[in-house]
Amino acid sequence: MAPMVGFRSSRLAPLALMVMALLWGSTLVVMKSAYAHLSPTDLLANRFVVGALALGVLMPRAWRANPRTIARGLSLGMLFGAGQVLQALGLRSTSASVNGFIGGLYVVVTPLLGAMLFGRRVPRQIWTAVALATVGLGSLALNPADLGAGIGIGELLTFAASVCFAGQIVALGRFATASNVASLALYQTIGAALVCMVCAAPGGIRIASSGQEWFAVIYLGVLCGAMIAFLQSWAQARVEATRASVIMCTEPLWGAAFAIWLAGDPVTLQVILGGASILAAMILVVRPPRRRRGTAALRPDRPVRCSRGAHPAGDPALTSGSE
């Protein structure tokens, strides 16, 4: 029988994704100062190597995984690492606001990929949340002055990054279980490190040297690398992929909050409307869906196998993604 997911852990999963989005939002301030000393690919390589080392030391049992889990984790990490590199390359020829908006479109691509690859039917409530999240993302990330320049190589690279992010979210939703969370997190981080090291290698990988550089690398690697990989794997074993992507899309909201708090950015109507849209989307996906009396809430993208005579995991709150 497949392992059962407890009621409490299923309710904590959206909170884990929100913590993950908060950490992602904080990376912008740290990365902005780090880019003065390290190139984007060097910083990414340093970041994910440190993240993999941290997970390997803190969770030594995670190394002991079967070949299938190792292969899946490395593949997921390579997708995520490719997305990181593509978005960094796209930033060279796009504005930061356009880059951030297009990179965040994984919230739209995720349900489309789920439908195309696995025949997943997305409820109307979730499409509404996706639309609200996209509006909020545009309001928070886009600068009207940067619009109208057309679609160039930078925009295409950044959109390719969003497809990689969406693919990683959808695949992780299929692969993550309560028993392989730590191993998936470890091998994902190793996979991302490998991709970033290969991309940084042609110019020679520069290792952080000063205290300021090491602070950025350790913060990004341990908190925004290792911890995020674990939180996402743990949460996506309990929350359906499209719902997870909407919650993760609160990242620009947290980024705006950090910019207002640390950099003194003004609170504008655009920020207020964007934040309200994203919060409304999050409420829609976190709210328990309606279902018929007597039906169990199962992960819609992973059927539960039961032994003869046993009832399917009877926890009514296995995930917020049931219909």
Side-chain angles (χ1 to χ4, degrees):
M1 189 191 313
M4 297 172 62
V5 179
F7 176 86
R8 184 178 296 277
S9 66
S10 66
R11 288 299 180 95
L12 289 176
L15 179 59
L17 290 170
M18 280 186 271
V19 172
M20 173 186 167
L22 185 153
L23 290 172
W24 259 351
S26 72
T27 61
L28 298 176
V29 178
V30 179
M31 291 174 72
K32 185 176 180 180
S33 61
Y35 282 156
H37 309 281
L38 294 168
S39 71
T41 50
D42 285 339
L43 180 60
L44 288 171
N46 278 261
R47 168 185 175 179
F48 287 112
V49 168
V50 167
L53 290 173
L55 278 170
V57 171
L58 295 174
M59 299 180 176
R61 291 186 179 180
W63 293 101
R64 299 198 292 269
N66 61 56
R68 176 180 292 184
T69 298
I70 293 173
R72 287 175 170 179
L74 291 174
S75 300
L76 290 167
M78 289 177 182
L79 267 178
F80 186 74
Q84 292 283 333
V85 172
L86 286 169
Q87 189 167 15
L89 292 175
L91 187 57
R92 292 179 178 177
S93 53
T94 61
S95 67
S97 63
V98 171
N99 184 272
F101 173 71
I102 298 176
L105 287 180
Y106 63 78
V107 71
V108 178
V109 181
T110 296
L112 294 176
L113 277 182
M116 289 189 297
L117 297 177
F118 305 115
R120 289 274 299 115
R121 187 181 70 83
V122 181
R124 185 180 304 173
Q125 171 185 333
I126 303 303
W127 277 121
T128 302
V130 168
L132 284 169
T134 305
V135 170
L137 178 65
S139 184
L140 287 172
L142 283 178
N143 182 352
D146 295 325
L147 300 177
I151 298 176
I153 186 64
E155 287 79 11
L156 292 175
L157 287 172
T158 309
F159 183 71
S162 71
V163 174
C164 287
F165 295 145
Q168 185 258 353
I169 292 168
V170 171
L172 182 58
R174 300 286 294 186
F175 298 156
T177 66
S179 61
N180 69 2
V181 166
S183 294
L184 275 184
L186 172 61
Y187 288 103
Q188 271 191 95
T189 311
I190 293 174
L194 291 173
V195 169
C196 295
M197 288 174 68
V198 168
C199 293
I205 302 173
R206 182 176 179 274
I207 299 174
S209 55
S210 69
Q212 184 179 6
E213 292 172 5
W214 275 114
F215 169 79
V217 167
I218 291 173
Y219 180 83
L220 294 171
V222 177
L223 288 180
C224 303
M227 186 172 179
I228 278 179
F230 180 80
L231 286 174
Q232 186 183 7
S233 298
W234 184 87
Q236 282 204 243
R238 295 156 173 83
V239 175
E240 189 269 328
T242 300
R243 294 177 185 270
S245 72
V246 174
I247 299 173
M248 287 188 280
C249 197
T250 58
E251 174 199 352
L253 175 60
W254 296 113
F258 279 108
I260 292 168
W261 175 38
L262 298 176
D265 285 11
V267 180
T268 64
L269 180 60
Q270 186 176 348
V271 170
I272 294 172
L273 291 176
S277 296
I278 288 179
L279 286 174
M282 189 175 64
I283 291 170
L284 278 177
V285 301
V286 171
R287 187 179 65 182
R290 285 177 289 179
R291 59 178 181 271
R292 295 174 188 162
R293 184 185 301 274
T295 58
L298 303 177
R299 278 287 303 272
D301 58 346
R302 186 188 299 120
V304 176
R305 296 183 178 90
C306 300
S307 58
R308 185 182 301 274
H311 295 288
D315 182 356
L318 181 58
T319 177
S320 59
S322 59
E323 298 174 17

